[in-house]
Amino acid sequence: MKLNNKIALVTGGTSGIGLAAVTLFRREGAKVVAVGTDRERLKQVETQLGEDGLAMAANLRRPAEIDRVIEVVRDRYGRVDVLFANAGLGRAASLEAVTEADLDEQFEVNVKGLFFTVQKAVPLIARGGSIVLTTSFLNTKGTPGLSILSATKAAVRSLARTLGAELAPRGIRINAVSPGPISTPFASKMGLSEQELKAFAEGVEGQVPLQRFGEAAEVARAALFLASDDSSYVTGTEVVVDGGLSQF
Ligand SMILES: NC(=O)c1ccc[n+]([C@@H]2O[C@H](COP(=O)([O-])OP(=O)(O)OC[C@H]3O[C@@H](n4cnc5c(N)ncnc54)[C@H](OP(=O)(O)O)[C@@H]3O)[C@@H](O)[C@H]2O)c1
């Protein structure tokens, strides 16, 4: 087992990629703390995690709620070995249509929430620990209507480098996983009509060299590689899981 007895904190652990990672990390021997906001989904994850895991509600837009998660983890486990800072959301809007609230929400979850999750978890991470951030194929692609989401994901890619450089002397690695279009509820929350969503999905799928959407489990396996000692000499980089979309 690749994460035997490791303590793994997974944000966005209630759905999609994070939920797939929770399942996989647990199968690989980790004690998992899953963070999300949806009470119903948190309850389901809690049942799946059993006695040695934890599902916690926290809105990552509020740093005080991240503090609370870290306090509970410190009291219960005393350390974090793996942090998968994965929670995120996106809103589609053209240049003219983007509102201040759209911009704030995406930066507050995808960048501010992620940054403070890392900052607050690091005191619990010892030498040999691993941090994995979720960025996106959008960090290098220009896609109409996704300016703010893409900018947040470029910021996340940048953080893997800068924070990786800061933490390398302490023996803590930080890498990013960069998903392409993945079959999760993510796109359905972008504020598109059903028709727009269908056109968007078909348009993106048509551009993927492997000619299909990816599965959350395929991203989770890349996150496992970065989380585990299999990647012990890998830091500051990203593993791209996008069917070739951003590469060809
Ligand atoms: N799906 C894709 O095509 C794709 C492509 C590239 C990158 N990504 C990235 O992959 C990551 C996971 O997305 P996904 O596809 O798995 O989407 P998802 O199924 O919608 O999952 C998003 C997760 O983030 C959590 N979350 C959202 N806002 C939060 C907040 N304010 N506080 C705490 N948790 C919050 C959600 O928790 P609740 O539901 O409990 O609120 C949920 O667990 C995101 O960072 C996304 O940008 C996805």
Side-chain angles (χ1 to χ4, degrees):
M1 292 205 281
K2 291 181 188 293
L3 298 179
N4 208 13
N5 281 324
K6 303 263 188 197
I7 310 301
L9 175 57
V10 179
T11 69
T14 51
S15 176
I17 293 166
L19 180 58
V22 164
T23 306
L24 182 60
F25 288 8
R26 188 167 149 71
R27 203 185 310 145
E28 292 293 333
K31 295 179 176 134
V32 179
V33 181
V35 177
T37 67
D38 185 278
R39 300 273 168 188
E40 257 323 294
R41 282 197 287 277
L42 279 164
K43 237 189 260 166
Q44 287 167 17
V45 176
E46 191 158 44
T47 309
Q48 182 186 331
L49 285 175
E51 297 267 294
D52 60 8
L54 207 57
M56 287 196 67
N59 183 347
L60 302 181
R61 295 180 75 174
R62 305 197 190 113
E65 298 196 15
I66 305 173
D67 283 330
R68 200 173 43 79
V69 170
I70 298 300
E71 257 169 50
V72 170
V73 172
R74 188 196 303 114
D75 290 351
R76 173 135 180 207
Y77 303 100
R79 67 177 206 278
V80 170
D81 302 301
V82 169
L83 168 62
F84 185 22
N86 159 79
L89 54 79
R91 303 278 181 237
S94 65
L95 170 63
E96 293 76 14
V98 171
T99 64
E100 190 178 352
D102 286 338
L103 190 146
D104 286 348
E105 184 185 30
Q106 291 172 89
F107 270 92
E108 282 180 13
V109 177
N110 298 358
V111 181
K112 181 177 151 185
L114 176 140
F115 179 86
F116 284 118
T117 301
V118 173
Q119 186 197 62
K120 291 167 191 297
V122 155
L124 293 187
I125 304 179
R127 189 165 276 278
S130 173
I131 300 171
V132 183
L133 313 176
T134 302
T135 175
S136 167
F137 71 103
L138 296 169
N139 71 17
T140 51
K141 295 279 277 185
T143 309
L146 296 181
S147 56
I148 306 305
L149 171 60
S150 304
T152 66
K153 292 301 182 179
V156 171
R157 177 66 190 92
S158 172
L159 287 173
R161 290 196 171 94
T162 48
L163 300 181
E166 277 192 43
L167 292 174
R170 289 152 71 172
I172 299 172
R173 300 181 296 108
I174 304 193
N175 293 285
V177 65
S178 183
I182 307 297
S183 298
T184 73
F186 186 88
S188 66
K189 304 174 195 166
M190 288 199 308
L192 297 169
S193 68
E194 214 145 282
Q195 214 176 356
E196 288 169 329
L197 190 58
K198 192 163 174 278
F200 173 72
E202 285 170 1
V204 178
E205 192 168 41
Q207 293 171 41
V208 177
L210 288 182
Q211 299 180 344
R212 64 172 176 86
F213 268 60
E215 297 300 325
E218 295 179 292
V219 183
R221 288 198 291 273
L224 173 64
F225 167 70
L226 294 172
S228 74
D229 290 343
D230 281 354
S231 58
S232 53
Y233 199 51
V234 180
T235 193
T237 192
E238 68 180 335
V239 172
V240 180
V241 187
D242 70 355
L245 178 58
S246 60
Q247 308 301 314
F248 313 144

